[in-house]
Amino acid sequence: MWSLWAAALILAQLAALLPLDSRAEAARPASAAARGGYVALTFDDGPWPETTQALLEGLAQRGVKATFFLIGSQVAGQEDLVRRMAAEGHQVGVHTWDHVQLKGMTPEQIDGQLGRCRACLQEILGPVELMVRPPYGFVDDTLLRCAQAPIICWSVDTEDWKDRNADRIVDTVTDQVRDGSIILMHDIFETSVEAALQCVDLLLAEDYYFVTVEELFALRGVTPEKGQVYLNLPPGTG
């Protein structure tokens, strides 16, 4: 079931939000978070042993949840990382088996890439619903018909793979982020992990609040549909 009891999830996340210096502080009220907006921080191409683990630790320190679109062929040996993502409240999704372009593939080829990755993740996590992110964001009519899940793209592309420059990545996010943004990053680069955590700190200070993609849908009262492409979610009303 795609819809979540958003209020309960947000209250739980607010309770987990602690300052990095561990000093006691009252939980941030939902009204304060809404002044900046709600955004979804998403990561592609993992899991990766060292960088994904460092990212999870940094997010846990900040009480922040993210969405991870995983490559099936990278999961072997990293099953505990995948379990940790789910256990800590992060959302897990499908990013194909081999990180290949799905546009132009036959239905059988698409099913092989998405179905195999989906089965791999469900073997670890159980019978959960898994959204899809197509590599490179390339989509065609065949993929729309065969995805068997909502297709999640993005509205803020950090292009963190290009120069691996943490300062430039942070500037891109802080310049482009809006209420309802879906931010694309990759947890396979140390610079991306560094930049992501800097972005979290900066945007929390501006009263933005980080949720999973699934939670963002629930907050907006939107039921994601299979075979539909989503770049962001409309801004909230307060």
Side-chain angles (χ1 to χ4, degrees):
M1 210 176 170
W2 293 113
S3 28
L4 298 172
W5 191 252
L9 287 170
I10 292 170
L11 286 172
Q13 187 173 352
L14 286 169
L17 183 60
L18 294 174
L20 294 183
D21 60 8
S22 299
R23 291 173 297 183
E25 181 180 271
R28 176 188 303 246
S31 59
R35 287 201 298 268
Y38 295 91
V39 297
L41 188 58
T42 69
F43 297 91
D44 288 4
D45 296 1
W48 206 255
E50 295 182 2
T51 50
T52 302
Q53 182 168 312
L55 177 60
L56 289 173
E57 290 169 358
L59 295 176
Q61 290 173 354
R62 293 159 172 81
V64 163
K65 304 299 183 284
T67 302
F68 292 84
F69 292 97
L70 305 182
I71 298 174
S73 61
Q74 302 235 143
V75 169
Q78 309 305 322
E79 292 87 352
D80 285 346
L81 272 181
V82 178
R83 293 187 188 97
R84 178 179 177 181
M85 290 172 185
E88 295 183 358
H90 303 292
Q91 182 180 348
V92 173
V94 170
H95 197 44
T96 73
W97 183 261
D98 292 312
H99 199 274
V100 293
Q101 179 178 319
L102 296 172
K103 182 179 179 181
M105 283 191 170
T106 66
E108 293 76 17
Q109 290 171 324
I110 291 171
D111 182 64
Q113 284 291 325
L114 299 184
R116 189 178 180 189
C117 184
R118 184 180 293 117
C120 171
L121 295 176
Q122 288 176 337
E123 184 175 349
I124 297 169
L125 301 175
V128 294
E129 299 280 4
L130 299 168
M131 296 181 180
V132 167
R133 170 162 286 165
Y136 316 108
F138 295 155
V139 176
D140 62 11
D141 290 340
T142 306
L143 177 58
L144 296 181
R145 293 195 305 270
C146 300
Q148 301 182 41
I151 299 170
I152 309 301
C153 288
W154 53 83
S155 55
V156 178
D157 186 355
T158 63
E159 296 188 319
D160 54 344
W161 51 271
K162 272 190 174 179
D163 53 13
R164 306 187 192 181
N165 182 311
D167 291 338
R168 199 274 307 157
I169 296 166
V170 171
D171 288 343
T172 297
V173 173
T174 54
D175 286 347
Q176 298 183 20
V177 70
R178 302 289 184 272
D179 182 26
S181 290
I182 298 175
I183 303 168
L184 169 63
M185 301 188 76
H186 300 78
D187 54 316
I188 62 176
F189 306 121
E190 291 182 6
T191 46
S192 295
V193 172
E194 176 186 347
L197 297 178
Q198 287 185 37
C199 288
V200 167
D201 293 340
L202 289 168
L203 294 179
L204 284 176
E206 295 181 10
D207 288 324
Y208 278 92
Y209 200 69
F210 290 87
V211 295
T212 66
V213 171
E214 196 172 34
E215 289 171 332
L216 189 57
F217 277 105
L219 284 162
R220 296 296 188 253
V222 175
T223 300
E225 298 181 11
K226 295 180 180 181
Q228 293 295 313
V229 178
Y230 298 90
L231 305 178
N232 60 6
L233 273 290
T237 56

